[in-house]
Amino acid sequence: MCGIFAVFENFNAVNRRKVEEATNTLAHRGPDNAGVATFAIPTNNGTVFAGFGHRRLAIIDLDPRANQPFSDADGVLVFNGEIYNFQEQTFLAGYPLKTKSDTEVLHHGLRLHGDAVLNRFTGMWAFCFLDRASNIVTLSRDRYGKKPLFFYQDDEVFCAASEMKAIATYLGRRFDMDHSKIENYIAFGMSYPDPSGKSFYQGIQEVAPGQTLKLDLTSWRVHQRHWHSFEIEAHRAPGDLASNFENAVTSRLLSERPVGLLLSGGVDSSIILSVLMARGLQDRVHCFIGETGAEISEDASYARKCAAAAGVTAHEVRCDYGAAAFDNVLKMCEHHEKPFPLTGNSMAMYEMYSHIAESDVRVVIDGTGGDEVFGGYWDRYSFFAIRDAMRAGDTAWLSQAVTAAEKDPQLSYHLAAGMKRLGGDQTPTVAQGHAADYGLDGVRRAIFADPLDLHRGDLASAMVTDAVSGRLPEWIWHNDRNAMAFGIENRSPFLDCSLIPMVGQHYSEKFYGSWNKYALRKLYDAFAPLPTQWREQKQGFRWPNVLFLRENKARVLELISGSRVLSEHVELTRFLEDAAANDNIAFTDFTARLCCIAGLEQAR
């Protein structure tokens, strides 16, 4: 797990000092080693100059022999990620390997088979590989895009990096924020992936998940293709769920550094512990629990019960909402490089990782993806399940849902909302509330870029869409940026490629009666029982931002008042006057959004 940088100059020699400076902006991603290589590449059209940089977080094969850039006569590789099944690969049988790392296996696999070798691998990655024989540079990301990769190209230079700040540092320039993305975030509070690959900063592109980008150094042309089709994989036969999930969990214990497990008190993280208990492996992980409530939360209570049932001692972190939390927002703006919601998935997780970093744990497993793979969001997915059941005439399933809703007001609300959408209420979401009151024209005219907003397909296609271009990529972004801010690797068993077919599973295996993630809950029976198996409603890893805004009102409004960017999108003076006088305005999600944009502006 690392930070990577690569640059190719079409006319001028690469400046080694600049490569080092760019690479060192990624030091937080790889605190264990820094490596840089610069060299010339003869082509049929002249000479191209190259520079590779790498910051290493050593997890597998801690020996310096596995440091990067990894280079030989055939090619040069900088690689960020883990390939969990690299030791199982047979295409290098009898080949004299110099290391015990997945880096070398990836290097030789690309040399021998090109990007076709990626279909053999289970894991997460972003890499840049130069094939010296063809003078082709290959960039690629894993199926879910767990690891980030950005690039910039003009007639003279091509740069690629794990984070955009490395590209800006090498080029010695500032990239402007995309104002249409600012408007959409101010209006709705989310920043979903751009289908065109545009990043939050104009001129920098993002390599898409499951995609390879090839740069021909001779012609200076770029070709992009998807080596992996999520849609196809989601509709293939699922195989044995218990076996696949067990392997997804146990393979992520592969590490020569201590491994942690985040226990949230919900179904997803707990079933990971259930697998470890069944195999007697619970002592292989250090468990961490976050207390995010103003008082003792139900989530933390359930997490403690699970830890006790497993016979493990969990380390607890109580989240802060005061001055330290404000400082965290500013630090997060430096790392995230785009707007993020001030919620538990971002704020609480950043604080959790800051405390974990004080230990010797450098790998953390969590339940990211459980909701998007197995169907966890009643408010997001139940409409599609209801429609599927009605189209199928499945009165038994519908009867179970109605009976459950009669006993649960929250479930009743979600099902009623789904029925309303069935009545044809599928209009684009536009700015409302304070966003409409204080937003200028661009904010008020913004249309929510949520890909499910007007989705008319079935549940399976909706969940594929959400996994590829909706909510899941956002949670993955938060996990990577929050963990790597402290040099910690995040691993998510639910994002194992063997579980992708569960995304396309039948609605009755996702929702049944009062249960969401129904197939996942039943899976506990194959391993070890825990108190969370049939827990009906989980609060979520909540982080009530109203507490943060109350504790930091003066600093938040001062930060917002100094923003030049916000003045282009909201009636800033009127908002600040109203927020100063009225806490019902100051302590809202809208204020939190403005705080985030102002923080991003300050971090540049």
Side-chain angles (χ1 to χ4, degrees):
M1 192 59 60
C2 314
I4 65 175
F5 175 77
V7 60
F8 302 90
E9 294 267 12
N10 204 11
F11 301 109
N12 303 311
V14 164
N15 186 317
R16 184 182 179 91
R17 177 184 59 80
K18 288 185 177 180
V19 174
E20 291 172 346
E21 290 176 354
T23 303
N24 285 335
T25 66
L26 307 171
H28 52 282
R29 300 186 73 93
D32 296 328
N33 181 258
V36 166
T38 57
F39 49 92
I41 306 170
T43 75
N44 293 335
N45 286 339
T47 301
V48 172
F49 301 91
F52 284 77
H54 189 265
R55 293 291 315 208
R56 186 182 185 200
L57 172 60
I59 302 295
I60 298 173
D61 191 355
L62 307 186
D63 193 280
R65 64 193 173 189
N67 288 343
Q68 300 179 45
F70 193 88
S71 177
D72 62 15
D74 297 307
V76 184
L77 173 69
V78 283
F79 161 52
N80 169 28
E82 303 289 0
I83 298 173
Y84 303 120
N85 64 342
F86 78 97
Q87 295 170 324
E88 303 168 15
Q89 301 304 314
T90 59
F91 59 82
L92 293 177
Y95 192 89
L97 298 176
K98 300 176 182 179
T99 75
K100 296 180 180 179
S101 71
D102 51 350
T103 301
E104 185 173 11
V105 172
L106 174 61
H107 180 283
H108 293 309
L110 292 168
R111 175 180 60 84
L112 294 171
H113 303 289
D115 61 3
V117 77
L118 300 179
N119 287 294
R120 301 171 180 248
F121 294 149
T122 297
M124 53 183 177
W125 59 80
F127 65 77
C128 178
F129 175 72
L130 167 65
D131 186 306
R132 294 185 188 271
S134 64
N135 284 336
I136 299 292
V137 176
T138 299
L139 282 70
S140 186
R141 291 176 74 194
D142 62 80
R143 297 168 179 87
Y144 277 101
K146 190 82 165 66
K147 304 317 299 174
L149 189 57
F150 302 91
F151 70 96
Y152 167 88
Q153 182 185 25
D154 60 28
D155 292 339
E156 298 182 0
V157 63
F158 181 98
C159 284
S162 298
E163 296 181 9
M164 291 178 272
K165 62 174 65 72
I167 296 174
T169 297
Y170 180 82
L171 297 176
R173 58 174 287 190
R174 292 179 62 178
F175 289 87
D176 293 331
M177 298 178 182
D178 186 323
H179 286 262
S180 66
K181 297 184 186 302
I182 293 175
E183 291 166 347
N184 203 278
Y185 172 79
I186 291 174
F188 307 110
M190 290 292 285
S191 183
Y192 289 112
D194 189 317
S196 70
K198 294 179 180 177
S199 75
F200 184 65
Y201 290 95
Q202 297 180 30
I204 297 181
Q205 295 281 116
E206 185 176 7
V207 178
Q211 185 182 65
T212 55
L213 179 153
K214 292 182 181 292
L215 170 66
D216 186 327
L217 296 179
T218 301
S219 66
W220 205 246
R221 292 178 179 173
V222 166
H223 173 71
Q224 301 179 58
R225 79 173 187 92
H226 278 85
W227 65 269
H228 173 261
S229 170
F230 199 97
E231 290 79 1
I232 292 175
E233 289 296 299
H235 290 94
R236 65 178 171 83
D240 183 80
L241 176 57
S243 176
N244 288 341
F245 189 71
E246 178 181 352
N247 183 66
V249 171
T250 57
S251 66
R252 282 161 177 76
L253 296 176
L254 178 68
S255 173
E256 295 180 36
R257 308 285 291 273
V259 178
L261 170 63
L262 296 182
L263 284 178
S264 69
V267 175
D268 304 331
S269 61
S270 300
I271 197 169
I272 295 172
L273 182 60
S274 174
V275 171
L276 298 177
M277 289 170 59
R279 301 299 173 255
L281 298 172
Q282 63 267 40
D283 291 335
R284 291 275 302 275
V285 298
H286 302 261
C287 292
F288 295 89
I289 297 172
E291 177 54 81
T292 62
E295 300 178 356
I296 302 299
S297 70
E298 186 181 12
D299 283 347
S301 177
Y302 267 98
R304 294 185 190 101
K305 292 176 183 177
C306 289
V312 298
T313 300
H315 308 272
E316 296 197 21
V317 176
R318 176 170 285 277
C319 285
D320 179 86
Y321 295 92
F326 183 86
D327 293 339
N328 282 348
V329 171
L330 298 181
K331 294 173 185 175
M332 290 173 66
C333 287
E334 295 179 9
H335 289 290
H336 276 244
E337 298 188 309
K338 76 170 186 177
F340 53 91
L342 272 60
T343 60
N345 201 65
S346 56
M347 300 300 303
M349 294 309 302
Y350 183 87
E351 188 167 1
M352 289 291 293
Y353 280 113
S354 73
H355 286 275
I356 294 171
E358 297 172 359
S359 71
D360 58 353
V361 170
R362 287 297 172 267
V363 175
V364 170
I365 298 172
D366 73 2
T368 297
D371 288 311
E372 292 82 5
V373 172
F374 285 92
Y377 302 126
W378 285 101
D379 61 336
R380 197 161 178 80
Y381 302 142
S382 62
F383 157 67
F384 299 101
I386 293 169
R387 186 165 62 186
D388 287 357
M390 292 185 70
R391 287 173 174 172
D394 191 347
T395 56
W397 185 93
L398 291 166
S399 177
Q400 288 280 348
V402 170
T403 300
E406 291 174 350
K407 303 175 182 179
D408 187 333
Q410 184 178 2
L411 180 57
S412 177
Y413 172 82
H414 293 315
L415 293 181
M419 294 302 293
K420 184 178 180 181
R421 291 186 68 182
L422 281 171
D425 186 15
Q426 283 185 277
T427 56
T429 302
V430 296
Q432 299 175 352
H434 294 320
D437 292 339
Y438 295 102
L440 297 178
D441 285 347
V443 173
R444 291 199 298 268
R445 291 198 306 265
I447 296 177
F448 199 10
D450 188 332
L452 295 194
D453 223 24
L454 297 178
H455 189 86
R456 297 186 179 278
D458 60 9
L459 175 63
S461 65
M463 293 190 64
V464 167
T465 298
D466 216 23
V468 172
S469 57
R471 186 172 287 183
L472 183 57
E474 283 305 290
W475 300 161
I476 289 173
W477 183 297
H478 298 168
N479 278 5
D480 173 81
R481 297 310 176 99
N482 288 335
M484 295 308 293
F486 300 98
I488 296 173
E489 175 177 306
N490 172 272
R491 295 178 175 178
S492 305
F494 287 98
L495 303 184
D496 192 272
C497 59
S498 68
L499 300 179
I500 292 177
M502 305 311 296
V503 176
Q505 199 177 29
H506 193 262
Y507 61 85
S508 64
E509 287 297 306
K510 296 184 182 299
F511 299 98
Y512 189 76
S514 60
W515 311 114
N516 61 354
K517 293 182 278 195
Y518 189 54
L520 187 62
R521 292 174 185 273
K522 293 188 293 183
L523 192 58
Y524 276 87
D525 296 337
F527 302 111
L530 282 173
T532 48
Q533 179 175 10
W534 299 108
R535 180 185 176 192
E536 288 195 0
Q537 296 297 333
K538 178 182 179 298
Q539 297 171 354
F541 200 31
R542 64 190 182 98
W543 190 88
N545 61 29
V546 65
L547 300 181
F548 164 78
L549 295 168
R550 182 180 298 136
E551 293 287 328
N552 297 280
K553 179 179 177 179
R555 294 183 72 185
V556 167
L557 295 184
E558 180 182 9
L559 177 66
I560 292 172
S561 70
S563 171
R564 296 176 59 186
V565 169
L566 286 175
S567 64
E568 300 178 35
H569 299 288
V570 298
E571 295 183 49
L572 200 55
T573 299
R574 184 166 70 89
F575 166 78
L576 290 167
E577 290 174 351
D578 292 351
N582 187 345
D583 288 347
N584 290 329
I585 295 174
F587 304 156
T588 63
D589 286 342
F590 181 72
T591 302
R593 296 170 199 170
L594 301 187
C595 176
C596 184
I597 294 295
L600 285 165
E601 183 180 4
Q602 180 173 295
R604 295 179 66 200

